Amino acid sequence: MVMAEEQTMMIDPKCGFCSETKIYHSLLPPAPLPPSTSPLSISDYVLSLLHQHYSSSTSDFYPERVTALIDSESGDRVSYTEFLSQIESLTRSLKSVIGLCKGDTAFILSPATPQIPVLYLSLLSMGVVVSPSNPISTASEISHQINLCKPAIAFGTSETTHKLPPVLRCRTVLVDSHDFHSMMHHSTSLGQNQMDSEEEEKVSQSDTAAILYSSGTTGRVKGVALSHRNLIASVAEVYAYKQMLKVSTRAVNYSTVPLFHIYGFTAILESVTMGDTFVIPMKRFDFSKMLKAVEKFKVTVLAAAPPVVLAMTKGQPAPEGGGILDGCDLSSLEGIRCGGSPLRTEVIVKFGKLFPNVAIRQGYGITEAACAIFRAADAWDCRRLGSTGKLIANMQVKIVDPVTGVALPPCKQGELWAKGPSIMEGYVGEGSEGISSTIDAEGWLKTGDLCYVDNEGFLYVVDRLKELIKYKGYQVPPAELEEMLLSHPDILDAAVIPYPDEEAGEVPMAFVVRKPQSSIDETQVINFISKQVAPYKKIRRVEFTDSIPKNAPGKILRKELKKLALSKLPATTSKL
Ligand SMILES: CC(C)(COP(=O)(O)OP(=O)(O)OC[C@H]1O[C@@H](n2cnc3c(N)ncnc32)[C@H](O)[C@@H]1OP(=O)(O)O)[C@@H](O)C(=O)NCCC(=O)NCCSC(=O)/C=C/c1ccc(O)cc1
């Protein structure tokens, strides 16, 4: 066995690779974490770090003057003083009026609104498990998620609650109602008593904080259970990294990514932790409204998936440059945090010419790791085209040969495995047997992504081993679409694969075997699926075939189908 000190000596200082253990270590100083046994919710942790900004005598952070939230639709602003008071008020009301308590799960079906950050932080502070979902999902997709998370209550809007199962509708709170507004602004005196109760059960860091939805590496959508500790680790790392970079100015963050995914979810937590301003995205994404919001609110950092960066390269820049695009002054913009799916090198190059002062900070993160694992930390890292940055603090990774299971050295491709304090507890509803295919006995999470780390510690994502399609940064599980296709009376067999698309990254494409005498056509197949799924999961290409290639145990040979698709079809995809 290698002793810790000896091991440190074997760690390559350039890339963090230990030749003895074949593990890559972060080269950043460890991000301090609170003792794991002390009771602490992610909400209290975030607010305690925020408090540090204005508790020091030299601080210029005045919570009544600093804007916590801006509603991009109305332009309304909420100061930190108001924001903290809303959280406190709502927490009291949810306990006393609604009767929510630690251990309950709250399903949230809402577009982005200024109430959402307040609701997240209130529920998390009480130890209520937050489970947000995409409001454009269909009723059956929602029902699957509800079966996984088993909520005691749902929060929705007047536009979304009709999709909830009837049994939950009578236990639903409308976040766009007058009652909710009252709960956020006027707490009850009964609530005050309850708040002060010494007997109230404290939130442990090991308690589940959130259940977010992800496709994992195979099969249908799963509920990723993240503990308070996982989220604390994720936020602590970002906090330490910003301290290290000595970021002193307050950012104005605009998240185009949805708040119900880990990316947007943690973007809120990080913004509050740093005492930054968070611009609530519009209910439905609109590129030109986004540009106007950047100009109006002087946004400094955008969190976006690759299609947004691509769209920015296709806009009309002013002849004099100066960060003006489609008539909007974007000169406040300093950086774009880009993740969710790969960003093509030629897009980065073109973007760099149009916006030389805006750094594209790519990152690699997954829901199962409570967000980032690799990140381009500084301007130098951002110039490393094609890479998604370096290993973040407190994390370890291995690159493992998918066939032999052997861990590989730098520049060799294999599956990325990750370990660290932010790695999820597991998938809800799947026992220890179910989780063992994703997290091994030593705690290594198998990401299903084929990657390599170069001699300087930069990560390159090469391909995907997992069965997954990424449409505009959204996960589309092929198994779900295949199950639906097989339920059609005219379809004998089917397989769904990713097909490359310039705008979306990938689109779902179906290979379909018709039943004898069936004349089902492409439009009928597409419409059959469209009715059952959220718009981003729609099948956008269909190819009819005589058989689906499979191996002896009956597993679909997706690589063969991908090759076939590319050989037969033109390289452009029509927009449906
Ligand atoms: C802003 C995007 C890029 C584009 O917006 P869009 O084009 O308007 O499309 P939508 O995504 O809003 O909607 C999808 C489809 O649904 C349609 N739609 C829309 N709302 C409706 C409606 N209410 N009725 C009916 N139809 C509708 C919409 O028109 C569209 O149709 P289509 O044009 O056919 O694609 C949007 O897709 C987007 O934000 N995608 C990102 C998703 C996302 O956050 N993924 C990340 C998951 S977490 C992760 O990977 C973390 C990574 C990470 C990496 C690094 C880190 O450091 C940290 C983290």
Side-chain angles (χ1 to χ4, degrees):
M1 186 155 154
V2 186
M3 301 303 288
E5 239 172 75
E6 286 174 42
Q7 207 181 63
T8 313
M9 286 166 65
M10 290 170 193
I11 293 176
D12 182 332
K14 276 180 96 184
C15 66
F17 182 70
C18 173
S19 52
E20 182 66 29
T21 61
K22 311 282 187 270
I23 293 171
Y24 292 86
H25 298 259
S26 174
L27 294 172
L28 295 171
L33 294 174
S36 60
T37 49
S38 55
L40 187 66
S41 73
I42 173 63
S43 193
D44 289 342
Y45 180 69
V46 162
L47 298 180
S48 71
L49 291 180
L50 169 70
H51 194 69
Q52 286 180 17
H53 290 289
Y54 54 90
S55 56
S56 84
S57 53
T58 54
S59 167
D60 66 344
F61 186 98
Y62 299 102
E64 65 282 10
R65 285 192 224 152
V66 180
T67 302
L69 303 175
I70 302 176
D71 182 355
S72 66
E73 304 232 354
S74 66
D76 290 348
R77 287 167 184 264
V78 176
S79 71
Y80 266 97
T81 303
E82 291 164 324
F83 180 59
L84 296 175
S85 146
Q86 289 175 5
I87 294 169
E88 202 170 300
S89 201
L90 184 64
T91 306
R92 286 190 189 134
S93 302
L94 290 175
K95 285 179 187 171
S96 61
V97 181
I98 308 290
L100 275 184
C101 53
K102 181 176 175 291
D104 286 339
T105 295
F107 189 74
I108 302 174
L109 194 66
S110 170
T113 72
Q115 291 92 336
I116 293 299
V118 181
L119 180 62
Y120 283 177
L121 284 157
S122 295
L123 293 170
L124 291 166
S125 73
M126 296 161 60
V128 172
V129 181
V130 173
S131 189
S133 172
N134 189 339
I136 65 168
S137 299
T138 62
S140 74
E141 288 165 337
I142 289 165
S143 169
H144 173 65
Q145 295 174 347
I146 283 173
N147 281 338
L148 291 173
C149 77
K150 307 203 176 359
I153 193 166
F155 290 86
T157 67
S158 33
E159 285 159 22
T160 65
T161 45
H162 68 278
K163 293 187 194 173
L164 293 168
V167 61
L168 198 55
R169 253 178 258 164
C170 53
R171 285 181 281 128
T172 297
V173 177
L174 289 177
V175 295
D176 52 356
S177 64
H178 176 73
D179 286 352
F180 192 83
H181 183 270
S182 296
M183 288 199 287
M184 260 175 62
H185 293 90
H186 320 284
S187 57
T188 60
S189 53
L190 171 66
Q192 178 69 60
N193 293 340
Q194 284 198 343
M195 266 313 246
D196 297 343
S197 163
E198 280 296 308
E199 282 160 33
E200 206 168 282
E201 206 188 334
K202 295 241 181 338
V203 178
S204 303
Q205 293 182 53
S206 56
D207 290 335
T208 302
I211 298 172
L212 304 181
Y213 298 95
S214 157
S215 305
T217 52
T218 181
R220 287 194 76 183
V221 165
K222 295 162 183 59
V224 176
L226 296 171
S227 67
H228 287 267
R229 180 73 173 174
N230 291 151
L231 293 169
I232 287 170
S234 176
V235 168
E237 183 280 323
V238 174
Y239 187 77
Y241 144 76
K242 294 209 172 160
Q243 301 279 88
M244 189 188 71
L245 293 184
K246 299 198 172 25
V247 177
S248 57
T249 49
R250 271 187 286 281
V252 179
N253 300 299
Y254 186 112
S255 168
T256 68
V257 292
L259 308 185
F260 48 79
H261 275 156
I262 192 68
Y263 200 176
F265 189 86
T266 50
I268 295 174
L269 301 176
E270 290 165 21
S271 189
V272 177
T273 301
M274 301 310 297
D276 288 343
T277 298
F278 190 83
V279 183
I280 305 288
M282 59 216 108
K283 288 196 178 113
R284 187 167 175 178
F285 181 74
D286 179 309
F287 182 65
S288 87
K289 281 194 194 160
M290 180 203 85
L291 297 181
K292 287 189 186 114
V294 171
E295 176 181 71
K296 185 169 175 192
F297 305 120
K298 302 215 174 338
V299 170
T300 59
V301 180
L302 267 182
V308 175
V309 181
L310 175 71
M312 288 180 79
T313 63
K314 294 192 166 176
Q316 192 61 51
E320 70 273 21
I324 295 182
L325 192 76
D326 293 351
C328 293
D329 179 356
L330 311 182
S331 56
S332 59
L333 208 53
E334 292 166 10
I336 300 190
R337 293 175 54 197
C338 187
S341 54
L343 181 62
R344 293 199 318 277
T345 303
E346 58 269 32
V347 177
I348 305 173
V349 171
K350 190 161 178 206
F351 185 92
K353 286 186 185 144
L354 286 171
F355 299 98
N357 300 324
V358 182
I360 295 198
R361 277 189 262 131
Q362 283 204 77
Y364 171 91
I366 54 173
T367 312
E368 287 83 345
C371 217
I373 303 176
F374 283 80
R375 178 192 309 114
D378 54 25
W380 175 248
D381 289 0
C382 294
R383 271 179 244 131
R384 198 51 85 99
L385 298 182
S387 154
T388 42
K390 288 181 169 172
L391 191 55
I392 65 168
N394 297 352
M395 293 297 280
Q396 298 178 351
V397 296
K398 285 200 277 195
I399 298 288
V400 178
D401 185 310
V403 179
T404 62
V406 171
L408 302 167
C411 300
K412 296 274 183 226
Q413 289 180 18
E415 185 180 15
L416 179 72
W417 291 16
K419 193 171 168 179
S422 62
I423 300 295
M424 68 165 178
E425 302 286 292
Y427 295 121
V428 285
E430 288 192 12
S432 50
E433 275 167 37
I435 194 63
S436 61
S437 58
T438 309
I439 301 183
D440 77 3
E442 290 172 29
W444 289 100
L445 170 84
K446 302 167 192 175
T447 66
D449 284 313
L450 189 71
C451 306
Y452 70 92
V453 177
D454 72 9
N455 285 320
E456 290 172 71
F458 286 96
L459 179 79
Y460 295 81
V461 181
V462 180
D463 201 355
R464 212 174 290 137
L465 298 166
K466 58 190 166 197
E467 293 167 7
L468 184 69
I469 301 163
K470 279 271 179 121
Y471 178 83
K472 294 185 175 174
Y474 284 117
Q475 297 181 330
V476 184
E480 192 179 322
L481 299 176
E482 283 157 4
E483 201 181 303
M484 276 174 206
L485 287 168
L486 291 175
S487 74
H488 192 289
D490 280 359
I491 296 178
L492 188 66
D493 204 359
V496 180
I497 57 154
Y499 186 81
D501 178 81
E502 196 206 353
E503 191 194 337
E506 292 170 354
V507 296
M509 170 182 181
F511 278 87
V512 171
V513 183
R514 292 187 186 101
K515 282 202 178 149
Q517 273 90 50
S518 162
S519 57
I520 187 169
D521 63 18
E522 177 168 19
T523 314
Q524 287 167 316
V525 171
I526 287 172
N527 290 344
F528 175 68
I529 297 296
S530 302
K531 279 187 243 146
Q532 304 181 60
V533 296
Y536 66 89
K537 286 188 194 162
K538 286 194 293 194
I539 284 176
R540 290 170 198 254
R541 280 185 173 275
V542 179
E543 177 77 9
F544 292 98
T545 181
D546 293 337
S547 66
I548 301 292
K550 291 182 185 158
N551 66 9
K555 207 168 172 340
I556 297 168
L557 296 173
R558 290 175 198 278
K559 266 198 181 153
E560 279 192 24
L561 287 174
K562 281 188 211 170
K563 262 194 223 154
L564 193 65
L566 290 175
S567 69
K568 278 194 171 182
L569 298 166
T572 53
T573 303
S574 60
K575 208 170 141 62
L576 292 173

